Amino acid sequence: MKEKAIVLDTSAFIAGYDPLAIPEKQFTVPEVRNELNTDSMPGVRFNAAVDNGKVVIIKPKDSFFQQVLEASKKVGDMRYLSEADMQVLALALELKDGGLKAVIVTDDYSIQNVANKIAVEFTSLMTFGIKQRFNWILYCPACYRKYPPDYEYESCEVCGTELKRKPKKKRRLSKV
Ligand SMILES: [Zn+2]
């Protein structure tokens, strides 16, 4: 059986994912660190996990990033994906290519859509006991980052813009 490699995006940390509680190897990308405010709880948790060696930060190779870019264009989710999101996808692809069983932990539908396209596995935060059952989402109108509805702050963790609410979209079926 292939060794499992968990790949974490920004939304996982924002939703309260704690890498120290997970036994498997975990990875993320430099851009995720840049997206988290170091003074916030998610930022503190992130840095603790990196210092502990529980989370390894890797910048994916450009060839994998290009594959993700192409796939994002094809599924039409490109405008919803940040640089960090695409790096996360590229890193998962690179780890998979290196012989690991890469799994992205994310509740972001756009990341899930592209992961599907490039045949990379993903799992929702529910798997880790983080409940996110809700019918609407909180999001940033400037950078499109999504937040859980009970998120305690009013502004975007990434860019500081005031968050907005909208009804949650049903998962698109691949008709396009
Ligand atoms: Zn934002």
Side-chain angles (χ1 to χ4, degrees):
M1 212 175 125
K2 286 181 185 173
E3 193 180 354
K4 200 167 173 182
I6 291 177
V7 184
L8 300 163
D9 79 341
T10 310
S11 75
F13 288 99
I14 290 172
Y17 179 97
D18 184 5
L20 297 178
I22 311 295
E24 282 97 355
K25 275 193 181 169
Q26 297 160 87
F27 299 86
T28 192
V29 297
E31 278 301 315
V32 167
R33 168 176 261 166
N34 296 343
E35 283 195 344
L36 294 169
N37 178 347
T38 42
D39 295 331
S40 68
M41 194 58 210
V44 169
R45 225 183 250 130
F46 180 93
N47 286 325
V50 171
D51 290 345
N52 251 293
K54 286 296 280 185
V55 170
V56 179
I57 302 177
I58 299 176
K59 187 178 173 15
K61 290 196 188 78
D62 195 52
S63 57
F64 295 103
F65 191 85
Q66 291 306 323
Q67 286 182 55
V68 169
L69 203 61
E70 283 307 305
S72 319
K73 281 179 194 162
K74 275 180 193 148
V75 297
D77 275 316
M78 208 160 117
R79 62 172 290 192
Y80 300 111
L81 294 169
S82 68
E83 173 82 15
D85 295 338
M86 291 207 271
Q87 279 195 4
V88 162
L89 285 153
L91 178 59
L93 200 57
E94 183 173 330
L95 293 170
K96 187 188 169 194
D97 192 64
L100 295 171
K101 182 181 157 61
V103 181
I104 300 175
V105 177
T106 183
D107 279 346
D108 187 313
Y109 285 169
S110 297
I111 295 180
Q112 293 176 352
N113 272 342
V114 178
N116 249 337
K117 184 81 183 169
I118 59 175
V120 162
E121 282 184 58
F122 59 83
T123 185
S124 83
L125 285 158
M126 286 271 294
T127 317
F128 299 91
I130 298 169
K131 293 203 180 79
Q132 295 219 79
R133 294 225 168 269
F134 46 87
N135 298 317
W136 47 271
I137 57 168
L138 204 55
Y139 75 103
C140 170
C143 74
Y144 298 104
R145 174 74 47 209
K146 297 170 199 77
Y147 291 85
D150 57 352
Y151 188 63
E152 55 185 315
Y153 305 106
E154 280 169 12
S155 56
C156 177
E157 162 99 7
V158 178
C159 71
T161 307
E162 194 177 333
L163 300 177
K164 287 200 153 103
R165 284 168 190 189
K166 68 177 175 187
K168 193 168 177 176
K169 249 190 318 184
K170 281 263 158 42
R171 180 123 196 227
R172 236 180 306 151
L173 297 171
S174 48
K175 257 190 238 167
V176 192

